[in-house]
Amino acid sequence: MRVRLATEVVTCVVWSSFLVATMPVRITAQEIQKSAAAPSSDATPGLFVDITQKSGVNFRYQASHTSKKYLIETMGPGVALFDYDNDGRLDIFLVNGAPLDDPTPLGTIPKKSGSTFWNRLYHQKADGTFEDVTQKAGLQGEGYGMGVAVGDYDNDGYEDLYVTGFGGNHLYHNNRNGTFTDVTAKAGVGGSGWSTSAAWVDLDGDGYLDLVVLRYLDWDFADVWCGEHREGYRAYCHPENFKAVSPLVYHNSGDGTFTEVAAKLGLAKPAKGLGVAFEDYDKDGHLDLFFANDSMLEYLYHNKGDGTFEEVGLTAAVAADADGRTYAGMGVDFADYRNTGWPSLLVTDLANQRYSLYENNRDGSFNYVSQETGIGKMTLLHSGWGVRFFDYDNDGWKDLMIAQGHDLDTIELTAPTLRYREHLLLAHNDRGKGFTDVSGESGEVFQQSWVGRGLAIGDLDNDGRLDAVVTTNDGPAYVLHNEIQTSNHWLLLKLVGHKSNRDAIGAQIKIVTGDGPQYAMVTTAGSYLSSGDKRVHFGLAKQTQASTIEIRWPSGITQTLRDVRADQILQIDEPVPGRNAPAGTP
């Protein structure tokens, strides 16, 4: 069904479903019956094992909860998986908060007051364990952190970090010797207000990564009473109490400096942005942007191909749910879970809203399919944040992992059927027809209850099985090792741009095996506040090779590799006329 575009879409913005999430759950028999229409499946469970302690990662996000219940306390943190020293092993970066006074005066910019509040960089050693190299790297950070985005903005072959937060953001340049330098002032990307998710993407095709930074609300530490529906309980304020604010978009000049161009590009529409992802959803050769907004219409920005964007969320039918209602959009991912060549879109939200899965209609519009695919049934009573499509069992179909947990620590006092702490969700892809919840069969970690937030996916030990790192609000980070027993084959592709940006972000990949085609795009963005492994993973099931790998680089150059054997990490360099670059290096 398409999203109805009647006046109810506008009027319901005031009465967002976020309010419903603070009330006792009232689900009709019709709704339960409708939600039960999930596909039957012989889904393969996963097996993820918590190796956090064993791996040497010892981190706790300091949200600094206060009796005043400032909204900022509920939101973080993010996580990044990236190889900062180019040793072939993924490292982990974790964003941390800062102390808050109780009460905190208006106009305060929180500052870190000691090592408890440092951001953390964990370097992966050759034996698979991690060592804390934060101080050596110079990444302790400043202020109350939120999210992180990874990208090689100067094309020197080393990944740089952009860390968002409240009161200003920070760009850390990788010095190529294990250290980073804060170049925020020189680069001109400090911003202001409350920034959340960010994405590195080459918006104009000049070979340099630009930076899209979402901001959440026009918010400060005002002592605003936001009571629960039960008298006497103080609650975190609803986002409708605060004005939307424009995102920041920085154009990379190529000399280490950036210019803010959101209004120039048509991307300055005020939003309440929490998650950002991009894809070429209409296959016109230009990358488009999606902003997950909290309790207002979601935004889809169509790239017009002339350097500007047009917001088309309503006409593309992704601005609201199937009933025209807005929801608390938080995490987002773009991916082709049906292996058709056309990316679909999943947006997470709060309990009583169902996560929104939009299937690509191949005509510039989308179809809301949460109910038909089983997503509605498995998420109705849950609150989702970080989300990624990924093939955990290497069967050739992209599955789902979602970090879950409510934002209200008082939710169980007013809605006894909901939970503040929730289990992680793992959903198996039933060959493009829908999804089956396999959380209960996929390891002890899925029986635990967390206040889940950030989620990053990557192959930590380079064994061809994708792993995960999950963050929790005012709690630890978890390193989850994929230990599924399978004989399925795989490929992990590392693309290196030369005419395109060095990370090859935005490159479109099609592989073909005896089972048919699969499609993916190079990106470190998506999820919630987090940044994933830029290498592109494909499960090959029982196929021992890819007959073809076709790449359309951001520069427009196309490349085809043939008869590529399975079970390897393959570096592929962009072929540039006049440059002697190998097509593929194992």
Side-chain angles (χ1 to χ4, degrees):
M1 67 189 77
R2 297 285 185 88
V3 175
R4 294 202 295 270
L5 305 182
T7 55
E8 68 188 66
V9 172
V10 177
T11 58
C12 72
V13 173
V14 177
W15 296 102
S16 161
S17 298
F18 183 102
L19 288 175
V20 178
T22 68
M23 301 170 63
V25 181
R26 297 183 178 89
I27 307 171
T28 66
Q30 290 81 3
E31 282 183 298
I32 294 174
Q33 185 176 8
K34 184 180 180 182
S35 294
S40 60
S41 170
D42 295 324
T44 303
L47 179 58
F48 287 82
V49 176
D50 180 1
I51 62 167
T52 311
Q53 185 174 3
K54 176 183 176 182
S55 70
V57 173
N58 181 21
F59 174 84
R60 185 180 185 90
Y61 179 68
Q62 302 295 328
S64 299
H65 288 178
T66 70
S67 67
K68 298 299 181 181
K69 293 192 178 295
Y70 298 117
L71 189 57
I72 195 171
E73 303 166 15
T74 69
M75 306 305 290
V79 55
L81 296 181
F82 73 124
D83 181 6
Y84 79 90
D85 58 349
N86 288 346
D87 65 357
R89 297 183 294 270
L90 290 178
D91 310 299
I92 303 173
F93 180 82
L94 293 153
V95 182
N96 210 342
L100 302 178
D101 292 327
D102 192 358
T104 302
L106 279 172
T108 297
I109 303 298
K111 298 183 182 299
K112 297 187 186 301
S113 61
S115 59
T116 301
F117 298 94
W118 286 358
N119 302 329
R120 294 286 172 177
L121 176 64
Y122 289 95
H123 172 254
Q124 186 177 174
K125 299 186 292 185
D127 64 0
T129 63
F130 292 83
E131 59 181 334
D132 187 339
V133 296
T134 306
Q135 195 165 13
K136 177 183 176 182
L139 288 174
Q140 298 95 320
E142 299 180 33
Y144 198 109
M146 283 280 124
V148 56
V150 173
D152 180 5
Y153 75 87
D154 57 351
N155 291 335
D156 68 352
Y158 285 77
E159 300 300 313
D160 308 299
L161 287 174
Y162 188 74
V163 181
T164 67
F166 178 77
N169 310 314
H170 295 270
L171 176 60
Y172 297 98
H173 177 257
N174 190 327
N175 298 323
R176 300 184 287 180
N177 62 1
T179 69
F180 291 76
T181 299
D182 188 335
V183 296
T184 309
K186 175 185 176 182
V189 293
S192 61
W194 180 356
S195 297
T196 53
S197 291
W200 290 103
V201 53
D202 185 357
L203 294 174
D204 58 356
D206 65 355
Y208 289 93
L209 292 175
D210 307 303
L211 184 60
V212 178
V213 184
L214 298 193
R215 293 191 288 183
Y216 185 30
L217 302 167
D218 184 5
W219 181 91
D220 205 339
F221 290 98
D223 187 7
V224 180
W225 172 264
C226 294
E228 290 276 11
H229 295 282
R230 281 188 180 184
E231 185 178 353
Y233 292 115
R234 185 165 189 147
Y236 292 102
C237 288
H238 189 281
E240 287 172 357
N241 288 298
F242 310 98
K243 294 180 180 179
V245 61
S246 298
L248 300 167
V249 181
Y250 295 103
H251 175 259
N252 188 340
S253 64
D255 62 359
T257 66
F258 293 75
T259 304
E260 208 287 311
V261 293
K264 179 180 178 180
L265 301 189
L267 293 168
K269 187 175 181 179
K272 297 181 180 180
L274 289 178
V276 59
F278 58 87
E279 249 285 9
D280 180 8
Y281 75 89
D282 58 350
K283 298 179 72 67
D284 65 356
H286 305 292
L287 293 175
D288 313 295
L289 296 165
F290 184 89
F291 297 171
N293 290 323
D294 189 354
S295 303
M296 60 178 288
L297 297 176
E298 313 299 310
Y299 290 170
L300 176 63
Y301 281 101
H302 178 249
N303 190 329
K304 296 163 66 176
D306 61 0
T308 65
F309 291 77
E310 178 185 11
E311 204 287 298
V312 296
L314 281 171
T315 55
V318 295
D321 68 13
D323 297 314
R325 296 176 298 190
T326 58
Y327 51 81
M330 297 187 292
V332 59
D333 201 18
F334 249 129
D336 176 18
Y337 77 93
R338 300 178 66 235
N339 292 344
T340 63
W342 296 81
S344 295
L345 183 68
L346 191 138
V347 188
T348 59
D349 52 31
L350 285 180
N352 291 344
Q353 297 177 344
R354 303 184 182 90
Y355 307 162
S356 295
L357 179 59
Y358 301 98
E359 183 181 305
N360 197 320
N361 288 325
R362 314 184 196 187
D363 61 1
S365 70
F366 292 77
N367 193 30
Y368 183 93
V369 294
S370 295
Q371 293 303 92
E372 299 93 314
T373 56
I375 293 295
K377 176 184 178 182
M378 71 180 73
T379 67
L380 177 60
L381 299 181
H382 298 286
S383 301
W385 302 77
V387 52
R388 288 310 300 259
F389 286 98
F390 76 119
D391 185 359
Y392 70 78
D393 59 350
N394 288 338
D395 68 349
W397 298 89
K398 296 177 181 63
D399 313 298
L400 275 170
M401 182 178 283
I402 303 175
Q404 301 187 130
H406 211 280
D407 64 334
L408 302 181
D409 57 4
T410 54
I411 189 63
E412 292 165 41
L413 298 173
T414 57
T417 58
L418 301 184
R419 294 292 177 265
Y420 177 50
R421 293 176 174 81
E422 299 187 46
H423 68 77
L424 189 67
L425 174 64
L426 187 67
H428 185 264
N429 185 339
D430 301 321
R431 303 184 65 83
K433 298 185 291 294
F435 293 86
T436 297
D437 185 349
V438 295
S439 309
E441 307 166 88
S442 297
E444 292 182 5
V445 294
F446 296 95
Q447 310 303 317
Q448 300 177 25
S449 296
W450 304 338
V451 188
R453 292 295 184 263
L455 168 68
I457 298 293
D459 188 352
L460 289 172
D461 55 354
N462 294 330
D463 67 350
R465 296 173 294 183
L466 291 177
D467 311 297
V469 178
V470 181
T471 65
T472 62
N473 183 261
D474 209 43
Y478 295 92
V479 181
L480 307 181
H481 184 235
N482 186 346
E483 299 185 5
I484 189 171
Q485 298 300 307
T486 177
S487 59
N488 288 339
H489 300 285
W490 53 276
L491 274 172
L492 194 60
L493 306 182
K494 178 184 177 182
L495 272 59
V496 179
H498 295 286
K499 184 176 181 181
S500 303
N501 69 84
R502 184 63 177 258
D503 283 336
I505 286 175
Q508 302 284 346
I509 306 172
K510 174 185 178 181
I511 73 164
V512 178
T513 72
D515 293 330
Q518 294 182 53
Y519 305 82
M521 182 192 69
V522 179
T523 182
T524 62
S527 190
Y528 170 77
L529 302 180
S530 299
S531 194
D533 188 354
K534 69 177 181 180
R535 301 175 299 178
V536 181
H537 170 271
F538 292 96
L540 303 186
K542 303 306 178 186
Q543 303 297 321
T544 58
Q545 70 172 19
S547 56
T548 60
I549 299 177
E550 301 173 13
I551 302 170
R552 185 182 188 278
W553 295 85
S555 64
I557 292 173
T558 58
Q559 180 180 13
T560 302
L561 283 68
R562 302 188 185 279
D563 300 327
V564 178
R565 65 176 175 82
D567 305 326
Q568 63 168 318
I569 301 172
L570 181 68
Q571 178 174 311
I572 305 174
D573 283 77
E574 180 180 20
V576 178
R579 181 183 183 278
N580 294 322
T585 305

